[in-house]
Amino acid sequence: MKDPNCGCCSAWIKILENDGFIVTTEPSAGTLLMRYKSDNAIPQEMISCHTGYVDGYMIEGHVPVAAIRRLLDERPDAVGLAVPGMPYGSPGMGPESQREAYVVHLIRRDGTTEPFLSYQAA
């Protein structure tokens, strides 16, 4: 689900498609989008601009393809992954060569989170 007016969400989708994912989108905004996140156990501190769903897992924000593929390979008992906020240089948020440091978090079913992958500043 994504805001239909969000360009960075569309850029992230294009990255996924270029890596072989088949992506469908559902436009949503405001309280409806926030409710979707809440109903699917995305903690408030993990929220970003869009929410994906892949093979039983929620994907919140600008999560890199490598993290999604690792998640699908390892299949942990978890809600999914999140990159909170919109870090510059994360997929869809500007050039990776200028990225800020950021962490991809694993969201556990009890609502806790832990680092899953880290990306250093470029």
Side-chain angles (χ1 to χ4, degrees), residues 5-83:
N5 300 312
C6 184
C8 67
C9 298
S10 298
W12 180 73
I13 289 167
K14 183 67 104 181
I15 290 167
L16 292 177
E17 290 174 335
N18 288 342
D19 201 77
F21 284 91
I22 296 169
V23 179
T24 58
T25 61
E26 188 171 329
S28 183
T31 56
L32 184 61
L33 182 56
M34 293 309 288
R35 181 172 189 123
Y36 180 78
K37 294 170 189 291
S38 176
D39 288 351
N40 285 285
I42 306 296
Q44 184 71 29
E45 65 275 9
M46 292 289 118
I47 287 178
S48 185
C49 57
H50 58 263
T51 305
Y53 178 81
V54 60
D55 203 17
Y57 292 103
M58 303 307 296
I59 307 296
E60 179 67 15
H62 294 269
V63 177
V65 169
I68 297 170
R69 294 231 181 258
R70 179 179 159 201
L71 177 76
L72 296 175
D73 285 345
E74 294 179 6
R75 309 285 313 164
D77 182 25
V79 170
L81 299 176
V83 172

